[in-house]
Amino acid sequence: MTEGQRLFVGGAWVEPEGGHYEVVDPATEETVGWAPEASRDQVRAACAAAREAFGPWSRTAPEERSAVLGRAADIIRGHVEPYASLARAETGATTATARAMQVGVAAARFRRYARVESAEWAIAPQINEAGPMGRAAVMGALAVRQPVGVVTCITSYNNPWANPAGKVAPALAMGNTVVVKPAPQDPLSVYRMAEALEEAGVPRGVVNVVSGRSVEVGEEAVASPDVDMVSFTGSTAVGRRIASVCGRDMKRQLMELGGKGAAVVLDDADVSAAVAGIGTTFSFYSGQICTAPTRVLAQRGVYDRVVEQLAVYAGRLKVGDPREPDTVVGPVISAAHRDRVESYVELGRKEGAVLVAGGERPPLERGFYVAPTLLADCTNDMRVTREEIFGPVVSVIPFEEEEEGVALANDTDYGLIDYVWSTDVARAFRVARRLRAGGVGVNTVGRNMEAPFGGFKRSGVGRDVGSYALHAYSEMQAIVWPG
């Protein structure tokens, strides 16, 4: 066995007490590397190191913290090719996606949070006007943002660069210290990020990375008395368990959980544009993304065209080796997840959905591939339309009137990102305002990286991205004095 990855605890690279486990390339089923399995004691040590480092780091001037983040961004950009190669091997993402949307976005996020408002404050204080106090003295007041403390960052497997960077960079910018627990399927990329931060000059203990397949690793990183906040991206089921632990000790939470995005295609929509947007569900991370428009609600006037064009779109996508430049759809993360996605497709057929495209396993010798799959004539009570499949599977539901489409879109446990397509922009915005989701794309599946990101209902708690992340990783403090 080749030499395994070490943990990063208190500024030192240490051997894992739980040994190592294999990280597998989902495209080739070959070994990518050997990830470290931390013990409970090592997770506790990481949390304690972050606690010890918090005081000095939080008192460091924001412009100094900014300089560290800026250098980290430069280091990541300077290693795009090897970092993207590792990310592709760990996740099965296409080379272009790994380079631009994983490593590239991570570097951009470190660069974004290297921008500070002043040398004294990461977020400028808010001056509050004095209100009527009767005979009492008039008081002056400042509302200032203070760092939360030690933040445990638990990250998702679909993007081992952009997702951790979106947590670590704003948390550090605000003066917090972090313990990162990466997804067990692809943790090696996160250790490369830790190396970049170490080279950039982050002080000992400010950033710690502990990994493992055992649930004990995550449990200890959440429950540790040294931890003040948990930032989690993952399933709603796991998020609820984390939230229950945080609730006992009143720990702050930022939760980005599951999604079952509705794409409302109105009868005046540009169907080709809608299909191109919805079709990203098949290709982007092979559908393993919570923001995907997986639940298409098509008004009767365009329903047949939406189904027909989506079927043609899905059939044209090349499924295969993500290293090949013309590959559009790579593998899903594991054999177990492939089986799960396939079981949902079969369940949809049993529930009465019509299989229009896909449904079969691609004829490839190795790798965990699922063909882009389209299910039509669905109803909103089917499990395939209510539960997050997290794969290249789209279900289409017809509706008659606009009111019904809105009701169907909102009839879900989730509320992360929805979408509306209509050539009447005023109509599209009217519908968007009625959707119970944290974000709505109007005639687009693109995102604005300064806009608040998060979900309604079981899709999460809190908002991040842009300046909203700085608020998310901070506490509000009022300073009052005699006027």
Side-chain angles (χ1 to χ4, degrees):
M1 185 178 81
T2 58
E3 182 180 355
Q5 173 66 51
R6 295 179 179 182
L7 305 167
F8 190 55
V9 177
W13 295 94
V14 299
E15 289 293 338
E17 293 177 352
H20 292 87
Y21 66 90
E22 185 181 23
V23 176
V24 174
D25 185 331
T28 65
E29 302 182 47
E30 296 175 353
T31 301
V32 176
W34 297 90
E37 182 79 36
S39 67
R40 278 190 179 273
D41 286 343
Q42 288 180 311
V43 178
R44 291 190 193 103
C47 296
R51 170 59 61 200
E52 184 176 355
F54 169 65
W57 179 249
S58 66
R59 293 188 294 271
T60 300
E63 61 181 352
E64 294 182 35
R65 300 197 296 261
S66 169
V68 172
L69 297 178
R71 289 193 294 270
D74 292 340
I75 292 165
I76 293 169
R77 287 193 186 281
H79 293 78
V80 166
E81 292 305 321
Y83 287 169
S85 178
L86 175 60
R88 179 204 51 73
E90 284 194 287
T91 67
T94 63
T95 298
T97 296
R99 184 183 295 119
M101 301 306 297
Q102 296 188 353
V103 180
V105 170
R109 285 180 167 172
F110 277 103
R111 177 60 60 193
R112 161 64 180 85
Y113 295 106
R115 303 200 309 263
V116 294
E117 295 189 21
S118 71
E120 186 176 1
W121 305 97
I123 300 177
Q126 176 184 331
I127 301 174
N128 295 272
E129 294 183 5
M133 297 291 290
R135 296 183 179 179
V138 175
M139 294 288 181
L142 281 179
V144 301
R145 286 282 177 177
Q146 299 281 19
V148 178
V150 176
V151 182
T152 286
C153 303
I154 303 179
T155 64
S156 59
Y157 72 72
N158 60 349
N159 197 325
W161 278 95
N163 186 258
K167 299 178 186 296
V168 172
L172 296 185
M174 278 305 306
N176 302 285
T177 56
V178 298
V179 176
V180 186
K181 194 279 178 187
Q185 297 93 334
D186 49 12
L188 301 178
S189 290
V190 182
Y191 286 104
R192 301 293 80 75
M193 186 182 297
E195 289 176 352
L197 283 161
E198 182 184 35
E199 184 179 342
V202 70
R204 295 172 64 89
V206 170
V207 174
N208 306 269
V209 183
V210 289
S211 59
R213 292 180 297 182
S214 170
V215 296
E216 293 182 349
V217 177
E219 287 175 348
E220 191 63 40
V222 169
S224 169
D226 285 316
V227 170
D228 302 292
M229 175 181 173
V230 176
S231 177
F232 171 70
T233 299
S235 72
T236 296
V238 175
R240 293 174 77 173
R241 294 201 295 272
I242 291 173
S244 67
V245 175
C246 291
R248 290 198 292 268
D249 293 323
M250 295 299 172
K251 295 182 181 183
R252 298 295 177 262
Q253 303 165 46
L254 180 60
M255 299 278 184
E256 191 226 314
L257 307 178
K260 192 70 177 177
V264 181
V265 185
L266 297 169
D267 54 10
D268 61 352
D270 179 337
V271 172
S272 296
V275 166
I278 295 163
T280 61
T281 300
F282 300 130
S283 56
F284 195 44
Y285 299 131
S286 302
Q288 298 168 112
I289 184 166
C290 53
T291 59
T294 57
R295 189 169 52 109
V296 180
L297 307 174
Q299 198 162 8
R300 278 293 180 188
V302 294
Y303 175 80
D304 289 339
R305 281 188 289 152
V306 168
V307 172
E308 179 183 353
Q309 290 187 31
L310 275 173
V312 172
Y313 188 101
R316 290 176 176 169
L317 301 178
K318 179 187 173 183
V319 181
D321 188 340
R323 293 169 295 187
E324 298 295 331
D326 59 342
T327 293
V328 180
V329 182
V332 295
I333 194 66
S334 66
H337 190 56
R338 176 189 59 192
D339 294 344
R340 178 180 182 273
V341 174
E342 290 177 339
S343 72
Y344 266 107
V345 175
E346 182 58 29
L347 174 63
R349 298 177 66 177
K350 290 178 179 177
E351 289 180 314
V354 176
L355 181 64
V356 181
E360 75 287 343
R361 185 173 295 185
L364 298 166
E365 291 184 4
R366 308 194 79 181
F368 312 127
Y369 293 94
V370 176
T373 300
L374 180 65
L375 298 170
D377 294 348
C378 297
T379 60
N380 214 42
D381 59 353
M382 294 178 176
R383 286 181 60 190
V384 289
T385 59
R386 300 201 69 83
E387 299 176 13
E388 188 176 37
I389 299 174
F390 222 59
V393 180
V394 171
S395 57
V396 190
I397 303 169
F399 70 91
E400 300 293 343
E401 302 299 328
E402 181 182 303
E403 189 76 20
E404 181 189 4
V406 171
L408 288 170
N410 290 334
D411 180 18
T412 174
D413 290 334
Y414 298 106
L416 188 58
I417 304 289
D418 285 346
Y419 305 88
V420 181
W421 270 274
S422 170
T423 53
D424 183 339
V425 176
R427 183 189 187 193
F429 270 81
R430 182 181 70 242
V431 171
R433 289 290 302 274
R434 297 181 63 195
L435 298 179
R436 298 289 296 164
V440 182
V442 173
N443 294 326
T444 183
V445 293
R447 282 179 56 193
N448 181 317
M449 299 309 292
E450 290 296 314
F453 180 74
F456 288 12
K457 298 183 279 189
R458 294 185 182 179
S459 284
V461 177
R463 296 293 183 272
D464 67 355
V465 180
S467 61
Y468 299 93
L470 296 174
H471 289 262
Y473 292 98
S474 62
E475 295 274 27
M476 182 70 82
Q477 180 185 59
I479 302 176
V480 181
W481 65 94

